């Protein structure tokens, strides 16, 4: 069974929450376009000046998605 990896994009500043929320829309579009097997995405507000958008991929797709979308960081999911 493949590991699941959470790819994370950080957004900072007063508009970070709206930016992260909007970025998630593009992540969902990418999943559909590339026909990826997982469709776990989301955004989270860390505080009023920091928010994240994320997408979960398996090991098999991590390198291709990382190279295409340039996340800021990643961590194991689950």
């Amino acid at each position: 069974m493949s590991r699941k990896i959470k790819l994370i994009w950080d957004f900072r500043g007063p508009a970070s929450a709206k930016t992260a929320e909007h970025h998630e829309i593009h992540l969902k579009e990418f999943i559909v376009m590339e026909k990826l097997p997982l469709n776990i995405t989301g955004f989270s507000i860390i505080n009023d000046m920091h928010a994240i958008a994320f997408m979960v991929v398996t090991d098999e797709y991590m390198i291709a998605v990382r190279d295409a979308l340039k996340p800021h960081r990643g961590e194991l999911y689950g």
Side-chain angles (χ1 to χ4, degrees), residues 2-74:
S2 292
R3 291 183 306 173
K4 293 179 184 170
I5 301 162
K6 182 178 181 180
L7 301 176
I8 301 168
W9 291 262
D10 291 288
F11 300 98
R12 298 186 187 276
S16 62
K18 285 290 186 190
T19 305
E21 183 177 6
H22 181 78
H23 192 71
E24 183 191 11
I25 294 168
H26 294 296
L27 295 176
K28 288 180 179 188
E29 291 170 346
F30 183 83
I31 288 169
V32 170
M33 204 169 53
E34 297 298 318
K35 299 178 177 80
L36 298 177
L38 291 176
N39 61 354
I40 302 169
T41 63
F43 73 96
S44 181
I45 299 167
I46 309 302
N47 60 46
D48 58 348
M49 296 292 278
H50 182 205
I52 64 169
F54 64 88
M55 165 195 246
V56 177
V57 297
T58 58
D59 278 334
E60 179 184 355
Y61 294 95
M62 194 280 294
I63 300 291
V65 173
R66 181 199 67 192
D67 290 352
L69 300 182
K70 310 281 194 255
H72 298 127
R73 56 195 171 102

